[in-house]
Amino acid sequence: MKALILVGGYGTRLRPLTLTVPKPIVDFANKPMIIHQIEALKRAGCDEVVLAINYQPKVMMDFLKEWEQKLQIKITCSQETEPMGTAGPLRLASDILDDGSGDPFFVLNSDVICDFPLKEMLAFHKQKGAEGTILVTRVEDPSKYGVVVMDDSAHVERFVEKPKTFVGDKINAGIYVLNPAVLERIELRPTSIEKETFPLIVRDKGLYAFTLDGYWMDVGQPKDYLRGLGLHLESLQRRDPESLAQGPTFIGNNIVHPSAKIGSDCQIGPDVSIGLECVIGNGVRISNSVLLHRVKVANYARIADSIVGWGSSLGKWTRVEFKSVIGEDVHVRPEVFLNGSIVLPHKEIKESIMDPGTIIM
């Protein structure tokens, strides 16, 4: 069975992290985002994953070669010479996705994180005799989204973009199971699966919706990345509690790489991810934050609701708060306060930045 992941383009919403690596290989809970998806596809029975890429394909593929061996799954690249939207990449990779067996294939958006109920979704797709199945998730305020309207048998009837009156509370979650016949509906050009392909399948009464029972988040921008981390760690607490950090230092759900070192009298959590070879000093406070690989935090620093990039360091008594995002190799001097700051890679910060949203170039 095959799958295609829509890797997309420049990852501008997650800058400055994506100035260092493409968005799909930014770590999420100490594992590259895209690896969460590939592992789920492997569990669902996929033996080949195609990455639809139009930005830094060599960087992506060089990185993923080691994971190809680790996971024992074939990973190939379908490179776009121009952005092909969300449907064009399927047609571009049709020779791989349609292998002649007639088996359906998965399509995933690379920003999506959830419990990935792919086996259940595939079984539902086959049981319904669907041409296509969309994963949908419930939201509290559907007026902000495109709503998927379905009947009692989960047959999709129509799509309503940002409805002003209530028509349903389920939205497209960015994961699909499709039959090879869908490929014949797509022209080889930049095109949208949501706006152009799915309405054709709805017209022929072949599209169904499988409702996700569990968390879901598009983690393509910092505030959603941090919110998604909290939901993911909560899910791990139910499914795999031993993977979470234990001990009096920790509050709530947290994940810490085994190589990280944490000093005395620290308070870590809730919802913290600490990466490879990080070094945390004494008396440090960290909550709802991510430290990527090799971050050094000196004594009595505080990090809250923020992301600290690879190889960066924070001096004594620093405060990094309010959705600050620090890029790779940034060094913050002692007692500096970053208040919702965006710091590009390879900088030294000597003075506090008080205005939220300030970008340090």
Side-chain angles (χ1 to χ4, degrees), residues 315-336:
K316 289 184 179 180
W317 296 103
T318 54
R319 290 172 59 194
V320 178
E321 300 181 351
F322 304 114
K323 304 294 189 298
S324 291
V325 184
I326 295 176
E328 179 188 23
D329 183 39
V330 170
H331 304 286
V332 182
R333 289 286 187 90
E335 301 184 23
V336 165

Side-chain angles (χ1 to χ4, degrees), residues 207-311:
L207 194 64
Y208 286 80
F210 180 80
T211 302
L212 175 64
D213 182 18
Y215 83 98
W216 174 88
M217 185 61 66
D218 178 329
V219 295
Q221 55 186 333
K223 67 181 180 65
D224 294 332
Y225 175 102
L226 291 171
R227 173 66 179 144
L229 176 67
L231 295 171
H232 179 72
L233 293 177
E234 183 181 0
S235 176
L236 281 181
Q237 175 60 45
R238 294 191 300 270
R239 296 184 289 111
D240 184 18
E242 292 184 359
S243 66
L244 299 179
Q246 308 293 329
T249 298
F250 301 100
I251 299 171
N253 302 320
N254 307 279
I255 191 163
V256 177
H257 194 278
S259 65
K261 297 178 181 178
I262 299 175
S264 61
D265 300 319
C266 292
Q267 184 173 295
I268 310 295
D271 301 334
V272 169
S273 173
I274 297 176
L276 173 80
E277 297 177 0
C278 287
V279 178
I280 313 298
N282 301 328
V284 171
R285 302 289 186 263
I286 308 175
S287 61
N288 189 36
S289 294
V290 173
L291 276 59
L292 297 171
H293 300 337
R294 298 177 298 281
V295 170
K296 291 181 170 58
V297 183
N299 297 346
Y300 309 112
R302 171 177 168 77
I303 307 166
D305 307 302
S306 296
I307 304 170
V308 183
W310 309 266

Side-chain angles (χ1 to χ4, degrees), residues 69-131:
Q69 294 181 347
K70 281 182 185 177
L71 301 178
Q72 292 295 293
I73 187 170
K74 186 176 181 182
I75 302 173
T76 56
C77 171
S78 176
Q79 185 175 356
E80 305 167 27
T81 55
E82 63 174 326
M84 294 289 284
T86 53
L90 277 67
R91 188 59 188 261
L92 195 63
S94 59
D95 288 349
I96 301 173
L97 298 175
D98 184 3
D99 60 5
S101 67
D103 289 339
F105 56 88
F106 288 102
V107 178
L108 289 78
N109 285 297
S110 66
D111 291 351
V112 169
I113 196 79
C114 65
D115 281 334
F116 298 113
L118 302 183
K119 285 184 180 179
E120 296 86 349
M121 189 179 175
L122 179 61
F124 171 91
H125 175 85
K126 291 179 177 179
Q127 183 258 325
K128 292 291 185 180
E131 182 176 344

Side-chain angles (χ1 to χ4, degrees), residues 46-65:
C46 288
D47 56 15
E48 183 172 2
V49 177
V50 182
L51 308 182
I53 302 175
N54 61 42
Y55 175 61
Q56 291 188 314
K58 187 177 187 306
V59 175
M60 283 285 296
M61 292 310 300
D62 287 350
F63 174 84
L64 288 168
K65 281 200 179 304

